[in-house]
Structures are given as structure tokens and as C-alpha cells.
Amino acid sequence: MSANSKPFPRVTAKTLLEYKAEGRKIVSLTAYDAIYAAIEEEAGVDLLLIGDSAGNVIAGHTTTIPMTMDAMLFLTRCVARGSRKAMIVADMPFGTFQVSTEDTVLNAIRFMKEGGAQGVKLEGAGYLLDTIRRLVEVGIPVMGHVGLTPQKVNIYGGFPVQGQTEREAEQIEADAKALQGAGVFSLVLEKIPANLAAKITKQLSIPTIGIGSGPDCDGQILVNYDLLGMIEKFKPKFVRRYLEGARLIREAVSKWADDVRTGRYPTSEESY
Ligand code: KIV
């Protein structure tokens, strides 16, 4: 063993299973770069997700569909370089896990080897179960994702709450159990009724991580830019802003612009 090779200095899939068993809530947040990754894990985040929500918040698209393997790999590397403690999970973008098991395994391996991730997340169940079993067999921790799966935006025609009819709720519950059976280490429950999320959470031995799915999940995840108030145009019901980031940044930049225009910046102390 080399000097810096303490095998698991990070939170791992196993740690998160232990948290569920202890009843300790899991704190997850998205990150897309090294600086946010470092700040978020210093603040106590257990799991950093490089979400394909980067399509919206980083790339400025209206959906996650255009995100590519190259773009997600770049962001994953950035987060990995900024992080030492949290578990890093890379979200597999649309088109990189739907085609075949072979493709998916190769792409997931790239996230682990080139990106520095400790696991991948993929949206959906059903046809993906065999692929997920294969990923786990080769040593790749997989986070599942059911309920609202934003990569299906073109089927939904938007981002509606899922699981509101009995049939939909039964399907989500069945998918959750099947994903646990296939070996996922945790499961994102997005935008489903709180009572359905609570029921699923009680039945699973793996942790559920909720987003817009009520308080009874084993953990919560948010898009960091939502939590920090960076997106002013739109605030989903489930988002709580802990900072008015956009306003504060605008005010800071505008003060600096004013100082530049009036000659107050830079001073002689700020010059060489
Ligand atoms: O892409 C994303 O950011 C996500 C989460 C918010 C769960 O999938």
C-alpha cells in the first residue's frame, strides 16, 4: 500500500446503506465543478451528483436531452478534482445507457476510470434491469431513479408529478423493488406523492433519496443552483432557497462595475 492509500477515505455505497440502517438522513446535492464540490462537501454533503441537470443549469438548454458523454465526463472530472470525502456519482446522459448493455458498461467504466466517479446513476427500470445487474457484477455501484425521470420529457410533455393514479403508483413501487433486486445501492424518487415515497422507503433495505417526494425518504437531493437561489425565473414547489445567490452576485458584480467605471478599482494596494 502506498502512503496515501487509505482504502476508503470517502463515503461509499456501503456507508449509505449503513446510514439507512442507523436512521441517519443522507444529504445529497448536485455539483458540476471543483469549487462547488469542495464547498458542498465541507458543508457536510455525503453524496455529490454530477446531474445531467447540467444541461439546464450549466449549458442553458431547456431539457437534459442534449447532454453528451464528453460533457458529463468533463464535469465529473472537475467535481472529482475538487472533492476528497463525498461519494461522487455521475449521471448517465440520454443515449448512453438505453442502447445496449455493452454500450452502457463501457460508458459507465469511462465515468469511473476517466471521470473519477465512484458510481453512476441511470433513469428508469424495466428494460434496464439486466444492464444494471451487469454493471453491479463488474463493480460499478448504480443509483436508480424512478418517478419523474426528466429524460422522458418528450413523452410526458413537461415535468408532471408521477404516481398520482393507483396504476402509476403501483408501477413505481414495483420498479423500486425490481431495482433493489437488480442491485442498485440507492434510489432517487423524483416528484412523487409523499405517501407513496414513504411506503416505498419503508419497504426497501436500500436508501431512497427524495427530490420533491416528501420528508420520509432516507435522504434528500436538490440541484445546487436551486438551493442557492441562482435560478430566479422558476422555483419548483419542493425547492427551498437557502441563499438569494443570483441577487447577491448581481449586486457584487454591479458594485465592482461601478468601481471600475468611477476609477475606485483598482487602488495602489491592488496594483504591482
Ligand atoms: O440531474 C439531476 O440533477 C438529477 C437529480 C436532481 C436527482 O437527476
Side-chain angles (χ1 to χ4, degrees):
M1 252 198 233
S2 70
N4 61 355
S5 64
K6 183 165 175 266
F8 295 109
R10 287 181 184 275
V11 172
T12 66
K14 194 161 163 261
T15 322
L16 300 179
L17 285 165
E18 288 163 8
Y19 286 2
K20 167 143 184 160
E22 292 163 14
R24 172 171 166 172
K25 291 274 188 186
I26 296 164
V27 181
S28 323
L29 192 59
T30 67
Y32 314 97
D33 69 25
I35 289 183
Y36 277 74
I39 295 170
E40 289 173 25
E41 70 169 25
E42 277 162 26
V45 170
D46 299 309
L47 184 148
L48 294 169
L49 174 72
I50 301 92
D52 64 350
S53 48
N56 306 89
V57 299
I58 303 295
H61 298 298
T62 52
T63 74
T64 59
I65 301 299
M67 288 311 279
T68 62
M69 198 59 212
D70 284 348
M72 289 301 294
L73 261 178
F74 171 74
L75 299 176
T76 304
R77 276 189 224 111
C78 295
V79 168
R81 282 193 288 266
S83 150
R84 285 181 308 109
K85 295 191 290 200
M87 179 171 189
I88 297 176
V89 176
D91 212 359
M92 298 194 71
F94 185 63
T96 66
F97 62 89
Q98 291 91 345
V99 179
S100 70
T101 297
E102 286 71 20
D103 255 15
T104 310
V105 173
L106 285 170
N107 287 329
I109 286 174
R110 290 192 70 196
F111 277 118
M112 308 285 283
K113 288 181 75 125
E114 298 171 40
Q118 286 89 51
V120 297
K121 174 168 89 56
L122 35 94
E123 295 182 8
Y127 75 102
L128 290 170
L129 294 172
D130 283 341
T131 299
I132 290 170
R133 271 188 276 274
R134 185 82 183 113
L135 289 168
V136 176
E137 256 168 26
V138 304
I140 300 172
V142 179
M143 186 176 211
H145 184 157
V146 295
L148 177 75
T149 47
Q151 291 178 12
K152 281 204 180 145
V153 58
N154 290 302
I155 301 282
Y156 302 138
F159 301 98
V161 178
Q162 298 292 297
Q164 289 185 298
T165 66
E166 203 176 316
R167 206 161 135 246
E168 259 181 33
E170 279 170 9
Q171 185 61 57
I172 294 170
E173 194 180 326
D175 286 345
K177 288 181 193 159
L179 285 164
Q180 171 170 281
V184 301
F185 72 90
S186 70
L187 182 61
V188 171
L189 300 177
E190 179 160 353
K191 229 173 162 181
I192 63 172
N195 61 355
L196 175 60
K199 186 173 175 213
I200 292 171
T201 300
K202 217 177 269 169
Q203 292 179 73
L204 299 186
S205 53
I206 54 160
T208 59
I209 310 291
I211 172 161
S213 299
D216 294 317
C217 299
D218 297 303
Q220 296 289 328
I221 185 160
L222 282 178
V223 167
N224 61 1
Y225 282 20
D226 281 334
L227 175 120
L228 298 172
M230 302 291 276
I231 303 157
E232 292 179 305
K233 285 193 291 245
F234 172 67
K235 185 173 98 54
K237 179 180 177 183
F238 59 82
V239 167
R240 189 185 297 172
R241 289 182 183 152
Y242 286 79
L243 189 77
E244 293 300 328
R247 183 172 57 74
L248 291 172
I249 292 174
R250 204 170 33 243
E251 282 171 10
V253 174
S254 134
K255 271 190 206 148
W256 176 71
D258 198 40
D259 286 351
V260 169
R261 291 197 180 101
T262 56
R264 286 195 300 264
Y265 176 86
T267 60
S268 54
E269 287 83 57
E270 288 157 337
S271 306
Y272 295 100

